[in-house]
Each structure stands twice: as structure tokens, then as C-alpha cells.
Amino acid sequence: MNIAANPVVEADQTVYLKDYEKPSFLVDSINLDIQVHTDRTDVNATLVMKRQTSGDLVLLGRDLELKSITLNGKLLTEADYTLDAEQLVIANAPDQVILETAVVIHPESNTQLEGLYQAGDDLFVTQNEPEGFRKITFYPDRPDVLSVFTTRVEADKKFPVLLANGNLMEAGEAGEGRHYTIWQDPTKKPSYLFACVIGDLAVLKDSYVTSEGRDVALEIYAVEKDIPKCHIAMEALKHSMQWDEEHYGRPYDLDNYMIVATSAFNMGAMENKGLNIFNTSCVLADEEFTTDAAIMRVQSVIAHEYFHNWTGNRITCRDWFQLCLKEGLTVFRDQSFSEDLQSAAVQRIDDVAVLKAHQFPEDSGPLSHPPRPDHFVEINNFYTATVYEKGAEINRMMATLLGKEKFRQGTDEYFRRHDGQAVTVEDWVSALTAGSGVDLSAFLIWYNQPGTPKLEAKGDYDAATQIYRLSFKQSLKANAKYPNLKAVPIPVALALFDAETGEQYTLQSESLFENGVKDGVYLFDQNEATIEFTGVTAKPVVSLLRNFSAPVNLDFNYSDQELAFLMQHETNGFNQWQATQTLLERILLEGHDADIYIQAMKNTLPEVIQKDPLLASRLFDVPTEGYLGSRIDTDYQPAKIQEQRNALLDTLARELGAFCKETYLELDPDMQSEFSQAMGVRALRNIMLSMMARQGDASAFDLAYEQYHTGNMSERLGALKVLVWNDAPQAQEALADFYSRFEDEALSLDQWFMVQAAHPKANAETIKYLTSHPDYDLGTPNRIRAVSGGLNANPVNTWSFGVQHYIDLAKYLDEKNPIVGSRLLQVLSRWYTLAEPQRTEVKTALENLKPQVKSKNVVETLNSMLSI
Ligand code: TRP
Ligand code: ZN
């Protein structure tokens, strides 16, 4: 029988955390036999199951053609079970069950990139998190069912590579030009971590010996011509393996670790046990083809997926509400890893910039939800910045509070208690508490409620007593869905500076800080509190939330002069950068004068450029139009923000004068020994080039053209942006050159699409030209995102002709790839903040879309977006 694709969302398909129940049957082992043919794939499964609680035997399955089903040797008929679009239910099953099923699936026509799908002519791969396995075979497809998987994969010999999780047990001929392999994964795992790969790929091999002496074979699979681009990922993998041993005491547990690269992938990468599957964009890295930022991202994603082996795989989630248990912790771990790879301050700056650009707006709009949601319709809609990034921040807060040693005792206890289990956020916090001896239970509040707290702080200096008082107050915007919002524990990392000398005070405050400490962490966990510092000889400048010690909106009435002071004297690189951002927001959103900022930049830059060119490049960050827009809740006029931001950049360029060209000509990335320093120099030079173009410097385009032709990808792309976005005479020639150079390099060609879509003066014709280009491909999410992401670099465009682009995409992808369709639509989630008439126009467009879509993904997103 054939089961209808994509069931329409019915009245209420909401799933609630409070309704969690244990599965009635567990699976001891599963034997899978997957036979891939050109026009179908046969999947035979044998499940050895035993009863755990009373109730029906429930097997989840979607888009499966059921051929036969046998229970304890007896062939079942339709009268023995009920079957609908989502599940197969057997009532009154015995306590011990051996279930055999035969189904047919169609990976060759699977465009959703979920389950088993064909990813180009020569490759089949799986993506099973969170609920893809049910599209391969009938199974209790939920993360609290852990089983031993044995997998036989059979296909035509034109696919020489046949992979699955675990150890290769057997390989051989299967007749008629076919062959097979059999794999066994000794570690019990949930079905979402199952993977198999069938294809024609080349491989890069290496090895790593763990701290326990295990010799692990490392393999990265990609198409032949991309193998030279796999070396950076391989080094990052070995580095990650060592890092997890050193920082968390976690060695790898299998004899092989495989990574497979595919361009047909919805997200970044997937941590399948011993067989990661990666978007090419997160594994291929080579300076000739890849920007520095993308190279950094490759290393962090390699680390992220590797770290999942312990935080996610060995210890997994009880249910999908607990997603942030594995994601929040693993993001925190990969961020810490990346802090060791480059300037730690810059890594923190970049991570916070992402948090503020994506998570803060998400949490202040209609898609706001707790890091651990308590209900959902479609779990795929909850792989969000809140779950990942805010989840990471919660772990960082606890780590900051505990300090290195106690945090390690806490994580040790977590691994000791829960290895091999499927657990909850409560289990994690309890283990950290028990291991460290510090009660962290209040941090659960962070997991359970939405919204970005506002932290108001006030400073008050009393010269007569030499006392400096800091008072704190926290609040959350009222939320109808969560009426009982509580105060959260906020670790406030702080320092006091002598306003004259720029030196840090030793913190004297009764029992709050240890003797002699200059960098303190104060745990503010009330609605209001005041702390006192004694022995403060003159009115100090306070620096709060150093290193962004909590994900809150800080409101402190700094003077512009104090912020300029922090730009120059703060030794915490993150807060030095934060001072520039606070100052710039005031200039851009509150009309403050730019003079103080420009003067402080002039004073600060020369020294920072010498010491840390990468940090210097970040000090030039001017909040993006998108971020500035997200700070506005009503009457948002994108064009006004654009105008103000351009005016500021013009002033900055003018005031910096000859400094830009001098710096550009003086700096040479090839003189830097470290990659991260060279990356900083390249970033700085690109900024200088764009400033020179702004100054109207006639030589800027010639220098850019020269840089375009001689540099690596970061330099080439930096130059190309200057030429294209300023409509330089050389722009078309450079674009044509870029195209012919990288025509066959999909990821580089993505940049060609992105640069044009991100042109500030792009219009509907630009987008039409790009989306009807022969190389545009609606089947490849990377290519879709190159255009839609580029377009969204300019909110003026997003909110005018862009609206139709996103709506058309959501409509088209609703059936073809609802995961991606739903995510792209979220670009429009802050429609309600727009000034009229745009507000009503976008609202109407969204309302018109509603009757035209039917996937749970898009429908849930659209309903939430319109529920404001
Ligand atoms: N678990 C993956 C990660 O490392 C996320 C992921 C990859 C994913 N592919 C997906 C989630 C597809 C949903 C759908 O973060
Ligand atoms: Zn992850």
C-alpha cells in the first residue's frame, strides 16, 4: 500500500513535554538490509524487542511502502495491526518480539533531504536527526530507544563506497554487478544517529592514537577533485580529538571515524556515530577557494560534530524537548575549542555577534521560545539560535561561575553517571551540581522560560567614604504564554578602572570576592541587589559583563567618554569591542555625536593593529543594518537606518583620511607567521579598501583590481565586493573572471551569487537574473541560501522586493524541502515592527501564503509569525 506524502496539519498536532511517556517496547538489536536500485530501495529490518511498560507496540513510519510484516515468525495480515500515515500499531503484542518488515522507499525522488536520499548522480546519504529514520523503516524512532545496529548495504558496483556506522565486518559480491558490505556498531545508539552512504567517492586517510592507546583510522570522503581541500578538516579532527581528551578527559571509542562530504544537505553537518555527514561548506577548506571566515567555520563544525560523540551520542537526549542538552553543551565546547585556535577575544566577539544578531531578535519576536521548549508541532522548527546559542550561553554561565576545576569535576560526574543513557536537562544540572559541590539548580530557570532579561545597573560613588555602590535590577518583558517569569541567576564579570591611570582596582567588597582579586564575578540572582566596593580612591569606570558573562541586555548609564575610556583601557578584548558597539548604537539609534568615537578609534587603533590585527579588524565593526533594525520594535524604517549608517561610515572614512591607504599599503599578510594574524591583516586591508572607496580615492579600484587578481579567496572576495558594490568600472570584468575561474567549484560559485544578491542597489531584476541563471538550483540549499542570504544583507531590499522572494521560496519548498522552506520564511518574522504601509503589505502577503502551504514546518512557522 502507498502512504500519502506530507499529511496536512490537522487541528492540533502539538506535542507537549508534560506528556512524555516511556516507550512500551525497547529494541535490543536491529539488523538492517538496504538494497539500493536506480528506481527504488528495498529495506528489510529485523528488530529484537522487549516490553518495558504496558501498552501497544508502536512503530513510526512515513512514506514507506509496506511489503510484509512478520511477528515472531508469523506473517501478519491487515487485521493484525493499524496503519496510518505516521505509524503502525500492534495491539496486544507479546513481551518478547522479533519483528521483521520489508518496505520499499524512494531515495531517488526524495527532495526533502531527510531519511535516505540521492545526493547527486553518484551518491546516496542519510539524514536522520531528528525524525528521518522513520522514512527508512518502521521503528520506534525516538531518542530514548537505544539499540545495537548491524547494517548490510548492497548496491551496484558503480558505487564502490558502501558505508554504515561502526566496524566493517564483511564485504563481498552480490551478483549481477552488485556488491555489499556489513557493518556493526557496538555502541547502543538511538535511530537518529544511524547513517549509511552509498557512492562513488575518493578518500583522504590519516590516523590518531588516543590517550588510551586506541589506533583510530580517520577517513574523509569527498569527490576526487575536492580531496586536496580536506586537509584542514583532517587536522582539525585530530586536534579536536586531542582537545577533548585534555579538556574533558574524553577519548574516542571506536576504531574508525569517517566523514562524508555532500553538497545536498539542509544544515551544517550531522554527528552520526562514527560516520559524520557534512555539508561540503563545513568540510572543504583551502585558501584558494575558501574565505578565512569559512575556514574557521570548517574547523569549528568539525570540532562540534566530533564533540557530539560524548555530548549527544554516548549521552543522548531523552526526548527532543531536551535538544539543547546536546546542542547547547556541544556549541559551548566548540566555541571553547575555537577560542584556543585564534584570538580568544575575537572568537568571543564573533560568537556574541551571532547571538545578538540572531538569538536576541528571535527571542523578542513571535518565534520566541525557551531553550528547552515545552511544546512543538514540528521539531525541525526548533533547531534555532535559542536552542543552540542561548543553550551554549547557559552552559558558559555555569562554567564561568564554577571556574575551570569545579566545572571539570561537574562534567566528569555527568559522564560517570549517564554514559549510555538518554537524559534530560535536569540530569545535566544535577550532575554538575553534585560534581562541583555548587548548587546550580537555579540555572534551570534559564532553560524553561523565554526572553532576554534586561539588566539595569547603576553606579554611585561616595568620595567621603571612598565607597562605590553598584545596584542591579533585572526584568523580563511580560509574555502572555509564560505568565510566571522568574528572576534568573546572572553571573556579572566585572572590573573597576581608575579613571586617571587606566589601571584596574583590586576589588574590596566584603566576602564577595577573594582577597587581591581584580577580575571578579558577582552572581546576581535576585530581582534587585546592591553591592559595595570599599577603598575606591576616586570615581571609577566600571566594566560590566566582561567577556559577555551572561546573555542579557545591559542598561548602564555610561557617558560617551566612559565608553571611549573603555575602548582604550579595557584589557578584556571583548569588552573593549563591546564599548565600540554601545557607542555606535547610541550614535546610530539615539543620534549621539560621532566625534568621541572617532577620536577614540584614532587613539586605540595603532597599538591594537600592532598587537592583534584580528582584534583591530573587529574594532571597525559597525552594527549591521539588520542588527540595528532588530533593536527597533515599532515604526521601523529600513531606509532611515541605512541612511544613518552610511552617513556614519562616510564620516569615519573621511576622518580617518590617509590612515586607510597607509595602513592598506603597510600591512602584508605574508609577513605574518600565524594564520589568525594573517587573517586579521587580510580582514583589516579589506576594510581599508572599502573605506578608501568611500573616500572617493581614485586609486581604490585599481588596488582592489590588483588585489582581486593576486590574492587568496579572502582577498579576492574582499576586493570583488568593493568593485561590485561600488559599481566600479572593473566590476563586470572581475565578476566574469570569477565566474570562469570557479564555474566548477560550487562553494566558490555560491560567493559569486552572494556578492551580486548582496549588492546594496540590487533590485527585483537582479534576483530574477540570479534565480534564472543556469547554475541556480532549487535542489541545493547552499545555492538557495547564497542568493537569499545575500539579499538579506540589505534590509531595505529584504523588506521591499525581497518579501516576494522569500514567500515564493516558502511556497515552492513547502512540499519539496519544508525544513529549508520554513527556515527561510523566518527571515520575515519581524514584519510587525515595520512602519506602515510596509507592515500591512507584508502581513497581507503572509496571510495570502497561508492557504497555499501545508507542511507542518511552514504552517507552524507561519502561524507563529502571524500570532503576534
Ligand atoms: N545535530 C546537527 C548538529 O550538529 C544538526 C543537524 C544536522 C540537523 N542536520 C540536520 C537538524 C537536519 C535537523 C535536520 O547540530
Ligand atoms: Zn550539534
Side-chain angles (χ1 to χ4, degrees), residues 127 129-130 265 267 269-271 304-305 308 326-327 380 383 388:
Q127 171 54 44
E129 182 181 3
F265 206 70
M267 313 266 282
M270 180 61 213
E271 69 264 23
H304 179 97
E305 307 310 333
H308 267 314
K326 75 174 176 82
E327 294 305 344
N380 272 301
Y383 286 74
Y388 276 67

Side-chain angles (χ1 to χ4, degrees), residues 113-114 127-131 192-193 265-272 277 301 304-305 308 320 323 326-327 330-331 379-381 383 388 819 823:
L113 313 187
E114 199 188 21
Q127 171 54 44
N128 292 327
E129 182 181 3
E131 300 183 335
Y192 82 87
L193 291 173
F265 206 70
N266 282 345
M267 313 266 282
M270 180 61 213
E271 69 264 23
N272 316 302
I277 296 179
V301 178
H304 179 97
E305 307 310 333
H308 267 314
W320 290 119
L323 181 61
K326 75 174 176 82
E327 294 305 344
T330 305
V331 171
I379 183 57
N380 272 301
N381 283 335
Y383 286 74
Y388 276 67
I819 293 178
R823 294 177 82 83

Side-chain angles (χ1 to χ4, degrees), residues 671-690:
M671 298 294 286
Q672 302 291 334
S673 53
E674 298 280 318
F675 173 78
S676 74
Q677 300 284 96
M679 164 167 79
V681 166
R682 286 189 284 266
L684 259 176
R685 291 182 89 231
N686 282 340
I687 295 165
M688 294 304 106
L689 209 48
S690 65

Side-chain angles (χ1 to χ4, degrees), residues 86-105:
E86 291 291 329
Q87 57 186 24
L88 188 156
V89 179
I90 302 171
N92 307 318
D95 292 352
Q96 305 282 341
V97 169
I98 295 180
L99 192 89
E100 295 163 81
T101 60
V103 303
V104 172
I105 57 176

Side-chain angles (χ1 to χ4, degrees), residues 26-33 45-50 133 139-140 143-152 164-167 169 182-195 254 273 420:
L26 293 180
V27 183
D28 286 334
S29 67
I30 167 170
N31 264 277
L32 263 178
D33 179 10
T46 303
L47 279 57
V48 178
M49 308 179 81
K50 65 166 181 280
F133 193 70
Y139 196 78
D144 55 354
V145 175
L146 280 67
S147 182
V148 173
F149 282 66
T150 306
T151 311
R152 181 178 180 278
N165 320 79
N167 302 314
M169 312 300 286
I182 298 178
W183 298 77
Q184 187 165 57
D185 184 354
T187 328
K188 281 194 157 210
K189 66 166 176 287
S191 49
Y192 82 87
L193 291 173
F194 169 79
L254 288 177
K273 183 76 187 186

Side-chain angles (χ1 to χ4, degrees), residues 64 74 142 166 200 249 466 523 536 752 781 810 829 841 855:
L64 305 172
K74 180 179 163 262
R142 40 187 288 172
D200 183 7
Q466 300 200 332
L523 181 65
V536 184
W752 182 85
S829 69
E841 284 163 12
S855 68

